[in-house]
Amino acid sequence: SWVDGLVPADRTHSAFVVPSQVNYVGKGSNLYQDGYKYHGSASVASKLLGTTYLWDHIRVSGGAYGGFCSFNKLNGNFVYLSYRDPNLLESLETYDRTGDFLREIAREIGLDELNKSIIGTMGDVDRYQLPDAKGSTSLTRHIVKDTDEAQQVRREQILSTKASDFLEFADILDQSVRDNGVVSVVGMGDAIEKAKETYDLNVTTIVS
């Protein structure tokens, strides 16, 4: 899928109509294709978005079962996703305001909240793995030539993240995802028809 691979070169928006009362709403882009160079603070920002902004607006206010973002540091894909979501356009609009949120939080976040996000990010980086997961991780790192030295640099960048580091990430999210991101939706026919007025969706009906 475009979540795990590369975003389609033509950045075609797609929607799949299924017999459902909820939607699964995604929007993403490849930040590396748009010129971004990875910095560990991006992982901290992504962690913060998932536990604050997206949780508050997609889950709590929006009523979706869940909402999160994911940034793959190996291939550069950044995606927003919601699941069992009663909304569609509203969730896309929430995604598009992420840059503004990061700029606001860069001015207002307290040291305690920033440190919680840093600790949470480090927990993901150095999480416990069973032998099979260790093997898979080692194979992936070998294939992409991800060295121990590069991994240590990322750790140091994460640990030294400052709120002001979020500003650059906010800019690339606006440029790459808000303005040029690919939308992919699975959900209700009525909601998808309405979204076609805003997005040029390539619609496929799975079951009418």
Side-chain angles (χ1 to χ4, degrees):
S1 71
W2 60 270
V3 173
D4 299 317
L6 293 177
V7 174
D10 59 2
R11 302 196 183 229
T12 301
H13 304 307
S14 60
F16 299 87
V17 177
V18 296
S20 173
Q21 298 302 310
V22 292
N23 304 294
Y24 300 79
V25 184
K27 186 174 185 180
S29 185
N30 188 281
L31 305 190
Y32 295 167
Q33 288 180 347
D34 291 322
Y36 179 69
K37 303 298 183 184
Y38 177 82
H39 188 274
S41 59
S43 294
V44 180
S46 299
K47 187 72 174 181
L48 180 68
L49 289 172
T51 57
T52 58
Y53 177 72
L54 294 173
W55 173 267
D56 291 340
H57 290 80
I58 301 296
R59 173 69 177 91
V60 177
S61 299
Y65 192 79
F68 61 95
C69 64
S70 175
F71 181 37
N72 188 320
K73 65 180 181 297
L74 296 180
N75 64 24
N77 281 350
F78 181 94
V79 297
Y80 302 101
L81 292 168
S82 70
Y83 55 99
R84 298 192 66 178
D85 189 347
N87 303 305
L88 198 167
L89 281 174
E90 295 87 346
S91 293
L92 292 172
E93 291 167 359
T94 294
Y95 300 160
D96 288 347
R97 292 194 298 268
T98 299
D100 292 336
F101 170 79
L102 285 177
R103 293 183 188 93
E104 180 180 351
I105 208 72
R107 296 191 301 269
E108 299 179 357
I109 191 171
L111 185 59
D112 286 347
E113 187 174 3
L114 178 60
N115 284 338
K116 286 178 183 178
S117 294
I118 291 173
I119 292 169
T121 304
M122 287 303 301
D124 292 338
V125 171
D126 290 328
R127 67 184 180 275
Y128 175 77
Q129 292 184 314
L130 294 172
D132 60 334
K134 287 182 180 179
S136 177
T137 298
S138 295
L139 176 61
T140 299
R141 290 186 58 202
H142 174 74
I143 291 172
V144 302
K145 297 179 172 60
D146 183 23
T147 65
D148 290 342
E149 291 77 11
Q151 191 171 37
Q152 184 58 33
V153 168
R154 291 195 295 270
R155 287 193 183 96
E156 293 170 357
Q157 290 174 345
I158 290 168
L159 290 169
S160 62
T161 294
K162 304 181 298 296
S164 58
D165 292 329
F166 297 158
L167 297 176
E168 179 185 6
F169 199 56
D171 289 342
I172 190 62
L173 289 182
D174 281 353
Q175 172 198 335
S176 185
V177 189
R178 183 194 67 187
D179 296 342
N180 295 296
V182 175
V183 172
S184 186
V185 179
V186 176
M188 298 180 286
D190 290 347
I192 288 172
E193 282 299 315
K194 184 177 180 180
K196 284 178 64 177
E197 299 173 7
T198 304
Y199 295 92
D200 184 19
L201 293 170
N202 183 9
V203 179
T204 301
T205 300
I206 305 300
V207 179
S208 59

